[in-house]
Amino acid sequence: MTGKFRSKFESKVNDILSETSLNFTYEETTVTLMDAFDFEQDSYQKWGKKYKNVKRVRAMTYTPDFVVEDKYIIEVKGFRTPSFNIKWKLFKNYIIENELDWHIYLVHSQKQLREVIERIEELVKTENNETI
């Protein structure tokens, strides 16, 4: 896979995954963690250069970095922000609430990535042997 990546580490992850026989996509899956809604009370906030009464709250979505074999999620993070931590918890809840058989991995280094790839390859091999 080639394309634009948000970081050098994501590009490196892509290169390493490309060396395997695993099928994967980059930022192609997006889930809605919270639907958009209308807030009926006053909600004044800065909007551009003005303060505005904002009634519509946009949906909160999450796009995992890499989806491997349609069920293994690899999220690449150099630095965890407070907003990411919230979305990560909501994403875990989304998986539970929707009864998805997704496995999620948060990696911060190439060493962790290689361990995760090894784990995924073992799971895929086991899964393929069970279906034969």
Side-chain angles (χ1 to χ4, degrees), residues 43-58:
S43 175
Y44 279 85
Q45 60 194 56
K46 192 167 184 178
W47 196 262
K49 294 183 178 184
K50 297 181 178 181
Y51 275 91
K52 185 176 176 182
N53 193 4
V54 179
K55 298 288 187 183
R56 187 73 178 156
V57 178
R58 295 184 305 173

Side-chain angles (χ1 to χ4, degrees), residues 15-99:
D15 293 345
I16 293 170
L17 282 170
S18 295
E19 295 169 2
T20 71
S21 61
L22 298 169
N23 296 313
F24 68 94
T25 60
Y26 173 73
E27 290 193 344
E28 288 186 11
T29 302
T30 298
V31 298
T32 301
L33 301 174
M34 182 185 299
D35 292 327
F37 61 94
D38 292 317
F39 188 77
E40 299 302 323
Q41 293 86 342
D42 282 348
S43 175
Y44 279 85
Q45 60 194 56
K46 192 167 184 178
W47 196 262
K49 294 183 178 184
K50 297 181 178 181
Y51 275 91
K52 185 176 176 182
N53 193 4
V54 179
K55 298 288 187 183
R56 187 73 178 156
V57 178
R58 295 184 305 173
M60 181 186 294
T61 61
Y62 177 71
T63 303
D65 292 329
F66 295 90
V67 177
V68 181
E69 299 292 334
D70 295 322
K71 67 188 258 181
Y72 304 99
I73 311 295
I74 299 176
E75 181 64 33
V76 177
K77 273 290 172 250
F79 178 75
R80 291 173 67 158
T81 63
S83 63
F84 170 78
N85 290 337
I86 291 168
K87 279 192 171 186
W88 189 244
K89 288 177 185 177
L90 289 170
F91 182 54
K92 286 180 176 182
N93 186 62
Y94 174 89
I95 293 168
I96 292 167
E97 293 294 320
N98 290 281
E99 299 178 358

Side-chain angles (χ1 to χ4, degrees), residues 87-116:
K87 279 192 171 186
W88 189 244
K89 288 177 185 177
L90 289 170
F91 182 54
K92 286 180 176 182
N93 186 62
Y94 174 89
I95 293 168
I96 292 167
E97 293 294 320
N98 290 281
E99 299 178 358
L100 299 171
D101 185 25
W102 287 357
H103 304 247
I104 59 175
Y105 305 92
L106 180 60
V107 299
H108 299 280
S109 69
Q110 286 185 42
K111 179 182 178 190
Q112 290 174 350
L113 173 65
R114 291 189 189 283
E115 291 171 2
V116 163

